[in-house]
Amino acid sequence: MTEQATGAHHPQPRPRNGGSHPASVEHVTGAQSLIRSLEEVGADTVFGIPGGAILPAYDPMMDSTKVRHVLVRHEQGAGHAATGYAQATGKVGVCMATSGPGATNLVTPIADAHMDSVPIVAITGQVASKAIGTDAFQEADICGITMPITKHNFLVTKAEDIPRTIAEAFHIASTGRPGPVLVDIAKDALQAQTTFSWPPQTDLPGYRPVTKPHAKQIREAARLITQAERPVLYVGGGVLKAHATAELKVLAELTGAPVTTTLMALGAFPDTHRQHLGMPGMHGTVAAVTALQKADLLVALGARFDDRVTGKLDSFAPNAKVVHADIDPAEIGKNRVADVPIVGDAREVIADLVVAVQAEHDAGHTGDYSGWWEDLNRWRETYPLGYEQPADGSLSPQQVIQRIGQLAPEDTIFAAGVGQHQMWAAHFIDYEKPATWLNSGGAGTMGYAVPAAMGAKAGAADRTVWAIDGDGCFQMTNQELVTCALNNIPVKVAIINNGALGMVRQWQTLFYNQRYSNTVLHSGPDTPAQTSPGTRVPDFVKLAEAMGCIGIRCEDPSDLDAVIEKANSINDRPVVVDFIVHEDAMVWPMVAAGTSNDEIQAALGVRPDFGDSEDD
C-alpha cells in the first residue's frame, strides 16, 4: 500500500482491531455482508447507479433501514455528491457504481477528491473473479486505473474479506491526510455465501499516521514567530480537514500576525476578522499576495505551496523563512524547502504552537509587527476588492454573487463550479465558518457544483445550499437536478450566464488578441448568436422546469433582490435561477500563469504601487 497520508482527526467511527467481543456470527451473502458493513461503519447515504456486476449489492440495500441510496443520473454525479456530502458533514462520503464504464465514470470525482484531500469510499462491482483479465463484458482494471489518484484501493475476490476491507477503507479514507479509497468487489464474491461478524480483525501494518508534532520543532517555530518582523500565517485546507479552526483563531489573535486563507481554506478563519487579508494566489487579493511576497516568515499550516498560490516558484516569498506543518510528510519540502518542518495533525500542531508562543511571550519575547501592519493596511485600503457596474445597465456577475451571499440564510453552504464565478464567489461572499464553502480546488473540475451541492444538501438537510455555477459548468452535470427533484433534495442553483466559457474567454482577451475561439456557448459556427435569453440554446428556465425544478430568469438589476429572495423562500423543490450577466466582466486581481506574484495586476493593466516599504 502506498502511504500517502499520515495522521488526522477521525470524523468516521474507527474500526476496532481484534480483541473485542464480536457480535454473533450470521450466515449471509457477500452482498448482505457489504451492506451490513456499511451500516456498521456509520454510512447513512450512498450515491450510485446499479448495473450487472454490482447488482447483487442492490438487493439487500433495499432492505436496509440505515443506508439511504440516492439514484443519480451519471456516476460522475455520484462521485461529486459523495465529495459534497463529505465536505459538508465531515463524514466519509460513499458512492457506488458497476464495472467497466460505471467505474471509469467515477475517475474524475475520485481524482478531484484526491487533489482536495476529501474522504470518500468508492465501491465498484467487478466481473467474476475467474473472468478478470479476459476482457470480459464491462471489464475495466479500475484498481490499476485509479492507483495514482486514490489513497489506497482494494480488489476483493473473496466474500469473507468484505467486512475487513470496508472497515479498513473507511479508516484509511478518514484518517491521516484524508482521501479517496476504492473498493472493487468481484461479482462472485458478492453472490457467495459467507459469515458476518463485527468488528472484523483489521490488518494495516504499514499505515501509521503521525498526528503528534515534534516538541522541538514546535518550540523552534514559536521562536521564529516572535522574532519575525513580517510574519504571515499561510492557511490551507488541512486546517479545515483537522477541525482546527478554533485553535487557528486563538493562535492568530495571540500572535497578532496576518492571516491568508487559500481557496481550499475559506471559512477556516473569519473573512471579516481584522487580521484576515483574504485569499492568496493567481486571483488573490493584492494584500494577501503581496504579504506573502514581502514576508520574512511564512507559517504554512495544512497548505501545500500549490502553483496557483506561489506563481513562479523561484520568485515566491524570496526573503521568507518557512515553517511548514502538514499531516503528509511528502508535502513538506516538495515545492519549497522548509526551515522548520513539522509533521502532524493541524489541530495538534496549532494547539501546541499556542502553548509555545505563550511561553515565548511569558519569557518576554513578543514580536513587534506594527510597521508590518502599516504596510498591510495601506495595501488593502489602496487595493480593495471591487467591481464596476456594466455601462449598458446589464447585471454585474459580481453583484449577483455578492447579493446571493448577503441575502442567504445563516449557515448557508455554497458550492461553486470552476472559472470566473468560482473566483467571484470566493471573493464576494463572506465565509465566517467552516463547511460553508465547497469547490474543486486542485483538479478544477467543471461540473462539480450541482452534484456537490446535491451531496451537501443530502447530508445537511436543515441547511440552505446554493450552487454558484457557470453556464458552461452547468451543462456538464445538470442532469443531477432530476435526482434532486425526485429525492426531495431542494438545492438552489445560480447560473452566472454570460453565454461563454468565461475564464477561457478572459485569457483569450488578455493573451490571444481577443480571438474568441470556441468559447461562445449559446450559438454555434453555423448558427447566428441568440442574444435574447429566451431564444438561447438551451433555455435554462425551460430546462429546469423539464427536470422538475422551479426555473426563474433574472436580467434586470432592479429585480435582483426580489428574485434571490423568491429563490430563498422555495424549499420544497430545487430552484434554478438563470442570471443573464455581462459577458465582458473579468476576475481581478490576477497574476498571469507562469509569472511572479510580484507582477500582480489589481485591474486591467494596473500594477500596484507598494510605496517605500523598507523591504522593497
Side-chain angles (χ1 to χ4, degrees), residues 46 57 111 125 205 215 218 341 381 388 408 413 418 425 436 447 495 540 570 582 604:
V46 174
I218 291 289
E381 289 166 9
E388 294 182 356
I413 297 170
V418 171
T436 53
I495 305 174
F540 289 126
I570 299 170
H582 197 277
L604 184 59

Side-chain angles (χ1 to χ4, degrees), residues 195-544:
T195 58
F196 176 83
S197 64
W198 197 270
Q201 177 83 33
T202 57
D203 183 26
L204 296 171
Y207 185 62
R208 293 288 183 269
V210 175
T211 60
K212 188 67 177 173
H214 195 287
K216 181 181 178 182
Q217 301 298 83
I218 291 289
R219 290 195 299 270
E220 179 62 14
R223 186 183 67 82
L224 288 181
I225 290 171
T226 55
Q227 287 182 349
E229 295 180 357
R230 299 186 303 278
V232 178
L233 300 184
Y234 161 31
V235 175
V239 170
L240 288 174
K241 300 295 188 299
H243 302 265
T245 55
E247 289 80 1
L248 173 64
K249 190 167 185 284
V250 172
L251 177 66
E253 293 179 346
L254 176 64
T255 62
V259 179
T260 67
T261 49
T262 67
L263 183 66
M264 289 305 300
L266 298 182
F269 191 74
D271 273 359
T272 56
H273 194 287
R274 60 185 177 79
Q275 287 172 246
H276 192 238
L277 300 181
M279 181 179 77
M282 175 178 278
H283 293 293
T285 67
V286 170
V289 172
T290 308
L292 292 176
Q293 285 302 96
K294 298 186 180 297
D296 64 1
L297 177 68
L298 300 185
V299 182
L301 303 169
R304 57 188 179 86
F305 291 83
D306 176 70
D307 64 288
R308 281 300 190 260
V309 169
T310 66
K312 188 179 179 183
L313 188 59
D314 60 10
S315 68
F316 175 67
N319 300 311
K321 290 186 176 181
V322 173
V323 173
H324 191 179
D326 203 283
I327 195 72
D328 185 354
E331 288 295 346
I332 298 176
K334 185 179 78 174
N335 294 327
R336 174 68 177 259
V337 173
D339 297 278
V340 181
I342 304 174
V343 178
D345 174 63
R347 192 174 187 179
E348 297 202 35
V349 169
I350 298 172
D352 286 0
L353 272 176
V354 167
V355 174
V357 170
Q358 186 61 59
E360 288 286 329
H361 289 183
D362 293 343
H365 307 142
T366 55
D368 179 5
Y369 312 144
S370 55
W372 183 221
W373 273 109
E374 287 179 11
D375 288 340
L376 297 170
N377 288 329
R378 184 174 72 251
W379 298 334
R380 64 179 174 184
E381 289 166 9
T382 306
Y383 303 104
L385 291 171
Y387 55 89
E388 294 182 356
Q389 296 289 354
D392 62 1
S394 59
L395 272 177
S396 156
Q398 300 97 322
Q399 183 184 18
V400 169
I401 292 169
Q402 187 174 50
R403 291 303 290 159
I404 289 172
Q406 290 169 343
L407 295 173
E410 189 175 0
D411 292 332
T412 292
I413 297 170
F414 298 92
V418 171
Q420 289 181 314
H421 63 279
Q422 176 191 26
M423 295 297 106
W424 289 323
H427 280 319
F428 294 107
I429 296 174
D430 286 333
Y431 302 98
E432 302 296 300
K433 299 178 182 179
T436 53
W437 165 251
L438 317 180
N439 85 126
S440 172
T445 307
M446 292 181 67
Y448 167 92
V450 169
M454 174 176 71
K457 183 67 174 176
D462 58 334
R463 296 172 66 182
T464 299
V465 179
W466 269 100
I468 310 292
D469 219 359
D471 46 328
C473 287
F474 181 72
Q475 292 184 74
M476 292 193 173
T477 52
N478 62 52
Q479 69 272 7
E480 298 310 334
L481 286 171
V482 175
T483 309
C484 293
L486 296 177
N487 288 274
N488 188 29
I489 305 174
V491 300
K492 306 180 195 301
V493 181
I495 305 174
I496 308 302
N497 185 355
N498 62 359
L501 297 171
M503 189 62 87
V504 184
R505 190 177 192 277
Q506 176 167 332
W507 281 49
Q508 289 174 332
T509 300
L510 297 174
F511 308 121
Y512 291 88
N513 298 315
Q514 301 180 32
R515 287 165 55 84
Y516 300 118
S517 173
N518 289 281
T519 46
V520 175
L521 289 170
H522 56 77
S523 62
D526 301 317
T527 59
Q530 304 294 324
T531 56
S532 172
T535 58
R536 290 181 178 183
V537 178
D539 182 325
F540 289 126
V541 171
K542 290 181 179 177
L543 181 61

Side-chain angles (χ1 to χ4, degrees), residues 7-53:
H9 181 73
H10 308 314
Q12 201 75 6
R14 290 186 59 179
R16 290 169 286 172
N17 288 316
S20 56
H21 298 288
S24 58
V25 174
E26 302 174 46
H27 295 277
V28 295
T29 65
Q32 290 172 318
S33 178
L34 171 63
I35 302 307
R36 287 295 312 276
S37 298
L38 290 174
E39 292 174 344
E40 291 290 346
V41 294
D44 56 25
T45 306
V46 174
F47 303 92
I49 301 180

Side-chain angles (χ1 to χ4, degrees), residues 65-145:
T65 59
K66 298 179 181 178
V67 178
R68 173 194 187 190
H69 183 271
V70 177
L71 177 61
V72 298
R73 266 50 193 170
H74 191 288
E75 290 89 355
Q76 182 181 354
H80 290 315
T83 293
Y85 172 96
Q87 289 175 310
T89 65
K91 299 195 292 184
V92 175
V94 186
C95 55
M96 189 175 287
T98 196
S99 62
T104 60
N105 280 342
L106 288 175
V107 169
T108 294
I110 289 172
D112 180 88
H114 187 253
M115 287 285 278
D116 288 349
S117 304
V118 180
I120 67 170
V121 170
I123 299 169
T124 53
Q126 183 54 274
V127 299
S129 54
K130 289 184 179 179
I132 292 175
T134 69
D135 291 333
F137 177 66
Q138 288 194 333
E139 181 187 359
D141 178 12
I142 195 62
C143 285
I145 290 168

